[in-house]
Amino acid sequence: MPEMAETPEFLERLRRRDGEACRRMIVELGPELEGYALHLLGDPQQVDDLVQETLIAALESLPKFDGRSRLRTWLFSILHHKAYDRIRQVQRHRAREISLEAADPLAESFDESGHFRVQPEDHRPDPEQLFESDELRQRLTQAVGDLPARNREAFLLRDVHGMEIEDAAGVMEIKASHFRVLLHRARVMLRKLLNSERDPS
Amino acid sequence: MMSCKEVAALSSQYLDQELPLLRRLSLQLHLMACRTCRGLVRGMRSLSRVSSVLRTRAGRCYDDLAAKLTEDLEKDQRN
């Protein structure tokens, strides 16, 4: 899908909430927001509501959109806030706290001189060589769902939606250095999860 | 030379092209000598490349929702 041109004229029309400009924003960015919501929450039943709430909140706030971030980043930020309200609610109903962030998945992998102790299980062939695309989508969806929430979100924003690191850190309201750690651990864990799914032995 | 541990820690920044020149070269030197780290970096690069399959849910169209929401908006603006 071609990137929507965020020209000053288009943004001005959005701020005036011109119907045609708003319609275009929803048609072009709605599917991506939905993809992000789906994998962030992992619950298809909540997705339509969340995307709709996000779009309604955006339509209400458009006159205040200052254009300092891109429109797409701004919409992702609104969805992030709404999704975390839900994630926190789910947390409150659990018997025990689950971690939102992963520890270093490779922490135990090195000897004293910093060399890999054994060949780690995730150093095997590439996912794209191993899966047909439907199967890849399914396995990746499952593995992404198994990540702690904040690592999952970092991976979604950067690798799935291709956002710049500074923008993605802005959506999560964290420093870029913290974002990089979350992203790195997500990638390492996904490699492991994909391999263990493929090879249960 | 960089250790495997350092390479593993920097591998994401390497793939995101965020490492300064000297660190990048030092990491590349290690990769030339170490098959294990080469595998790690190649695997992570490949993962990043295939991840966009999750970007949208297949076959969804937002024309109807867009029409409904903008209609509501226009009604609001008229009132």
Side-chain angles (χ1 to χ4, degrees):
Chain A
M1 188 194 305
E3 292 263 316
M4 185 163 58
E6 295 182 20
T7 58
E9 295 75 24
F10 180 66
L11 294 179
E12 189 45 45
R13 283 171 60 204
L14 279 178
R15 272 185 217 107
R16 288 199 317 266
R17 295 197 285 192
D18 165 78
E20 177 51 31
C22 292
R23 197 198 60 79
R24 209 177 121 205
M25 175 186 84
I26 295 168
V27 169
E28 295 201 18
L29 294 173
E32 228 193 302
L33 287 170
E34 183 184 334
Y36 173 52
L38 178 67
H39 297 292
L40 188 60
L41 292 178
D43 176 3
Q45 288 184 329
Q46 292 194 46
V47 168
D48 288 345
D49 281 351
L50 181 62
V51 173
Q52 202 158 327
E53 275 175 34
T54 300
L55 290 169
I56 290 169
L59 290 174
E60 281 170 1
S61 311
L62 269 173
K64 289 180 286 183
F65 175 62
D66 59 14
R68 268 187 299 188
S69 65
R70 292 187 52 200
L71 182 66
R72 179 166 169 265
T73 312
W74 182 69
L75 286 167
F76 272 65
S77 297
I78 298 174
L79 194 144
H80 164 91
H81 276 284
K82 296 193 173 294
Y84 264 78
D85 288 345
R86 286 164 195 248
I87 289 170
R88 275 189 286 265
Q89 267 171 22
V90 172
Q91 285 275 31
R92 275 200 287 275
H93 289 101
R94 280 176 200 263
R96 75 188 165 86
E97 185 91 342
I98 51 161
S99 175
L100 293 178
E101 290 185 26
D104 181 2
L106 291 175
E108 306 296 322
S109 308
F110 307 98
D111 63 21
E112 284 159 13
S113 58
H115 289 103
F116 271 117
R117 230 187 273 279
V118 287
Q119 176 136 336
E121 58 186 308
D122 52 340
H123 297 179
R124 295 202 207 135
D126 303 341
E128 59 198 326
Q129 291 170 351
L130 291 157
F131 303 128
E132 297 296 322
S133 87
D134 276 354
E135 196 189 348
L136 175 73
R137 180 190 280 265
Q138 231 173 26
R139 299 245 184 164
L140 201 52
T141 298
Q142 172 79 42
V144 167
D146 287 341
L147 293 176
R150 288 166 72 78
N151 298 87
R152 187 191 316 147
E153 185 171 20
F155 174 77
L156 290 172
L157 291 172
R158 172 70 181 159
D159 285 357
V160 174
H161 295 280
M163 210 172 267
E164 294 297 329
I165 284 174
E166 295 289 340
D167 293 342
V171 169
M172 291 183 71
E173 297 181 312
I174 56 177
K175 290 189 172 153
S177 54
H178 184 184
F179 182 86
R180 286 188 188 95
V181 173
L182 291 173
L183 174 65
H184 177 62
R185 290 181 180 173
R187 287 171 174 170
V188 173
M189 287 175 83
L190 280 176
R191 286 291 298 162
K192 284 190 170 200
L193 288 167
L194 286 173
N195 279 305
S196 60
E197 280 229 349
R198 195 179 64 247
D199 180 11
S201 65
Chain B
M1 184 155 82
M2 242 180 217
S3 67
C4 298
K5 192 176 181 177
E6 288 172 281
V7 170
L10 293 173
S11 51
S12 272
Q13 278 174 268
Y14 173 66
L15 292 175
D16 290 327
Q17 299 183 329
E18 291 203 312
L19 286 186
L21 180 66
L22 282 178
R23 302 216 89 182
R24 191 169 74 233
L25 290 176
S26 170
L27 190 145
Q28 282 169 335
L29 267 180
H30 180 106
L31 290 185
M32 284 166 74
C34 177
R35 197 167 147 260
T36 310
C37 287
R38 238 178 8 248
L40 174 76
V41 168
R42 200 190 61 206
M44 284 175 55
R45 176 180 287 131
S46 154
L47 175 69
S48 295
R49 212 164 32 219
V50 299
S51 309
S52 61
V53 295
L54 300 188
R55 196 161 168 150
T56 56
R57 212 173 187 178
R60 297 285 288 194
C61 172
Y62 270 72
D63 286 343
D64 290 347
L65 181 64
K68 181 186 173 304
L69 292 181
T70 49
E71 200 178 295
D72 291 350
L73 186 72
E74 280 163 356
K75 241 185 257 167
D76 256 18
Q77 283 169 338
R78 273 197 300 271
N79 291 335

